[in-house]
């Protein structure tokens, strides 16, 4: 059983600059607010939309098929909670900010949760270009979701400079994130 998320994504409709800590947004507003460069070096001190100071900011994209667990991963990382129960598919694109203290440097991660459904691909792909990192996610119980990520890498590497840089930086195998593995790993296998 599944239920759909609100048309404006899983959260609010505010743009990244207008939103407080959660960047949940409709696709139009998100497009208008997308930064020209994902890497931001604010003059210190700088303050995030959630009111936290930070030194450097990175834009991170969560990419993968619908249902692989992108939103769950983001919510878990941001709030420490797990979205159990009914599956609510993301509409368009959404984001959340988290400021982390790493080696005495305040790092702001702006993490974008893309809709995995095919019909949103043209929207979500527009956000890859200025991202600093892509997290490629698949469901370890669903081989098709793994194949689709490999296919996306191949196609998009030719289209986006960011993807080219990224695929050059890491050696094979790509740093895929295997999700949905905790309860089902024992009964499913993906051959790579
Ligand atoms: N068993 C198990 N289920 C999970 C795990 N992570 C997520 N789920 C479930 O998988 C379903 C889909 O999770 P989402 O995070 O909404 O998937 P998504 O990738 O964001 O999907 P789209 O928004 O359509 O792109 C939900 O019902 C979750 O409860 C996991 O690690 N293990």
């Amino acid at each position: 059983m599944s239920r759909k998320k609100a048309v404006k994504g899983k959260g609010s409709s505010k743009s990244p600059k207008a939103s407080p800590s959660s960047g949940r947004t409709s696709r139009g507003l998100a497009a208008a607010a997308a930064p020209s460069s994902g890497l931001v070096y604010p003059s210190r001190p700088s303050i995030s939309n959630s009111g936290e100071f930070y030194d450097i900011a990175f834009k991170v994209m969560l990419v993968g098929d619908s249902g692989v667990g992108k939103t769950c991963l983001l919510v878990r990382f941001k709030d420490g909670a797990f979205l159990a129960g009914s599956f609510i598919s993301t509409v368009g694109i959404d984001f959340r900010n988290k400021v982390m203290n790493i080696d005495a440097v305040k790092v702001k991660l702006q993490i974008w949760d893309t809709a995995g459904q095919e019909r949103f691909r043209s929207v979500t792909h527009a956000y890859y270009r200025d991202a600093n990192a892509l997290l490629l996610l698949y469901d370890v119980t669903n081989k098709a979701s793994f194949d689709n990520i490999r296919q996306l890498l191949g196609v998009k590497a030719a289209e986006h400079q960011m993807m080219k840089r990224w695929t050059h930086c890491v050696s094979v195998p790509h740093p895929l994130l295997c999700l949905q593995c905790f309860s089902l790993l024992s009964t499913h296998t993906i051959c790579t």
Side-chain angles (χ1 to χ4, degrees):
M1 186 178 75
S2 68
R3 60 189 168 92
K4 292 291 173 188
K5 292 169 184 169
V7 172
K8 292 178 180 177
K10 292 177 179 174
S12 76
S13 61
K14 293 179 180 179
S15 72
K17 287 173 182 171
S19 171
S21 59
S22 170
R24 297 177 176 280
T25 175
S26 65
R27 72 186 198 189
L29 288 172
S36 57
S37 169
L39 191 58
V40 181
Y41 292 94
S43 56
R44 194 172 183 169
S46 186
I47 191 166
S48 74
N49 291 328
S50 60
E52 292 179 88
F53 291 100
Y54 65 93
D55 302 306
I56 187 170
F58 294 97
K59 177 181 175 182
V60 179
M61 308 286 301
L62 302 182
V63 182
D65 276 5
S66 179
V68 299
K70 298 182 295 294
T71 302
C72 286
L73 181 73
L74 178 55
V75 171
R76 179 74 178 176
F77 179 68
K78 175 69 170 62
D79 302 324
F82 177 65
L83 294 177
S86 300
F87 169 35
I88 308 174
S89 191
T90 302
V91 175
I93 196 161
D94 196 2
F95 81 98
R96 288 194 174 197
N97 293 326
K98 178 160 181 166
V99 177
M100 304 182 72
N101 203 344
I102 301 174
D103 293 336
V105 177
K106 293 236 177 236
V107 179
K108 178 182 135 181
L109 295 175
Q110 186 180 77
I111 306 173
W112 291 76
D113 178 17
T114 62
Q117 293 180 23
E118 181 67 39
R119 62 194 171 114
F120 295 115
R121 287 284 154 82
S122 59
V123 176
T124 57
H125 285 185
Y127 289 81
Y128 293 178
R129 187 179 47 194
D130 60 354
N132 300 115
L134 302 183
L135 296 187
L136 307 179
L137 281 58
Y138 72 95
D139 178 352
V140 74
T141 67
N142 181 354
K143 186 173 185 301
S145 70
F146 179 78
D147 294 336
N148 289 339
I149 278 293
R150 293 178 69 106
Q151 185 182 20
L152 178 139
L153 264 182
V155 172
K156 288 301 160 191
E159 294 181 13
H160 296 287
Q161 278 303 124
M162 189 271 155
M163 291 288 283
K164 283 183 188 171
R165 286 205 312 270
W166 187 82
T167 52
H168 288 168
C169 285
V170 298
S171 57
V172 175
H174 297 297
L176 299 179
L177 287 184
C178 317
L179 298 179
Q180 310 239 25
C181 55
F182 301 111
S183 60
L184 300 167
L185 185 59
S186 58
T187 55
H188 295 78
T189 304
I190 287 184
C191 301
T192 61

